[in-house]
Amino acid sequence: MYRFLLSARWIGFAIFVVLLAAICTRLGFWQMDKLEQRFDRNDAITKHFGADPVDLSTALPAGIEVDKSNEWTRVRATGTYDVDHQVTVKFSTRDGAPGVNVVTPLVLDSGAALLVDRGWMETQNNVSHPDVPDPATGEVTIEGWLRKDNGATGGAVRPNDGQVRAISSDGMADFVPYDLIDGYVNLQKQSPAPSAGLAVEPKPELGQGPHFFYALQWWFFALLAVVGYFWFARAEAKERRKPSRIDGFAAERQLVPTMGRGSEATEGRRPGEARRP
């Protein structure tokens, strides 16, 4: 009944189903891995936000990069803003509104500088360079949390007309005349007070996100592919048993007992009856 499963068409279909189910299963586990990373991130944020701010040099000694162990650490630093090398991060939205983040290097007493995301302001959704509030002049003390460089590369992190699409100390390295400390800081407090018109970065969400439900969806697709294969196979077998098929499969089974009774049966005569003239 199911010998048709050995045909080239059905073997190819089976291979496709196996590959599809395997890919969907793998994507489900990938989402669960993302969920575990989200939990680790939430734990790190909760731990760091529950601690008092520390000096930048303590949280990030010279030559150390921002990684999972120290990202989100609350730090403080003192220096002078360098407005000449200030950039804006274009196409940054908040609550559905277009705007930019303003990133200004803070030159420290050591001569190195730290990129500071001073905040966000609403602007027109275009590529033109916006006018943004200047930072405080003179020496300032800031507080904020450490962030890793954005993983983007190329033109996304290299300034063009004073604008970038993502924040990266590596991308800004050739744009400034001093060494940049790895990563950047999301400004939260400043003395003297920061410029009006810039909204500081809100605290990150600590929910689990959609990863668990995405994993369930991928696993459901894998199960659906396997069940669908057997459903189509059963439907094909059922169709092949129909007497009304015209491909000869069902008709051949009905002709077998008739052919054994001789040619008389095919002419509509009873056995022994003489042929009519």
Side-chain angles (χ1 to χ4, degrees):
M1 183 185 305
Y2 288 95
R3 291 179 60 188
F4 63 88
L5 294 178
L6 299 178
S7 65
R9 179 169 66 92
W10 276 91
I11 290 176
F13 185 31
I15 294 174
F16 170 76
V17 168
V18 170
L19 291 176
L20 179 62
I23 291 173
C24 290
T25 301
R26 180 66 186 88
L27 289 173
F29 284 112
W30 173 67
Q31 285 294 334
M32 292 302 293
D33 183 62
K34 297 286 286 184
L35 179 61
E36 289 297 326
Q37 294 178 22
R38 184 67 177 258
F39 286 150
D40 292 341
R41 168 185 173 272
N42 291 348
D43 291 342
I45 292 173
T46 302
K47 174 185 175 182
H48 289 308
F49 282 14
D52 294 330
V54 297
D55 289 335
L56 177 65
S57 59
T58 302
L60 200 66
I64 302 300
E65 297 183 351
V66 181
D67 56 21
K68 292 181 180 179
S69 65
N70 54 23
E71 188 178 20
W72 304 106
T73 300
R74 297 175 63 200
V75 298
R76 58 175 174 263
T78 300
T80 305
Y81 283 120
D82 178 11
V83 182
D84 293 337
H85 296 92
Q86 177 174 274
V87 296
T88 56
V89 184
K90 56 185 177 182
F91 307 133
S92 301
T93 60
R94 188 174 295 187
D95 297 330
V100 296
N101 281 75
V102 183
V103 179
T104 311
L106 181 71
V107 182
L108 310 177
D109 292 338
S110 64
L114 171 70
L115 294 180
V116 178
D117 181 357
R118 297 198 291 120
W120 178 89
M121 65 173 291
E122 185 174 354
T123 64
Q124 295 295 323
N125 190 16
N126 53 43
V127 298
S128 60
H129 192 286
D131 293 327
V132 299
D134 289 331
T137 58
E139 190 174 77
V140 297
T141 299
I142 67 164
E143 287 187 10
W145 52 69
L146 280 175
R147 296 297 310 276
K148 291 195 300 183
D149 285 337
N150 189 285
T153 58
V157 294
R158 288 197 297 267
N160 181 15
D161 189 25
Q163 298 183 92
V164 294
R165 295 198 303 273
I167 307 175
S168 171
S169 58
D170 288 337
M172 289 279 293
D174 295 333
F175 179 66
V176 297
Y178 33 70
D179 293 333
L180 284 177
I181 296 173
D182 187 70
Y184 64 99
V185 168
N186 281 130
L187 179 66
Q188 294 297 299
K189 296 180 181 180
Q190 179 180 298
S191 178
S195 303
L198 295 180
V200 297
E201 184 76 10
K203 288 186 176 181
E205 294 288 341
L206 296 180
Q208 70 176 19
H211 304 296
F212 177 72
F213 296 101
Y214 284 167
L216 292 181
Q217 288 179 358
W218 283 119
W219 289 335
F220 172 76
F221 292 151
L223 178 62
L224 187 64
V226 175
V227 172
Y229 173 81
F230 288 104
W231 186 89
F232 282 116
R234 183 175 180 275
E236 177 76 5
K238 185 178 179 180
E239 179 68 19
R240 285 172 175 266
R241 291 196 298 267
K242 286 185 177 181
S244 59
R245 287 180 62 93
I246 61 175
D247 59 3
F249 182 82
E252 182 180 353
R253 295 178 58 191
Q254 292 186 353
L255 288 176
V256 170
T258 306
M259 296 300 293
R261 301 180 64 182
S263 60
E264 293 177 346
T266 62
E267 297 179 4
R269 293 184 289 113
R270 291 174 296 182
E273 184 178 353
R275 181 188 297 271
R276 294 189 181 92

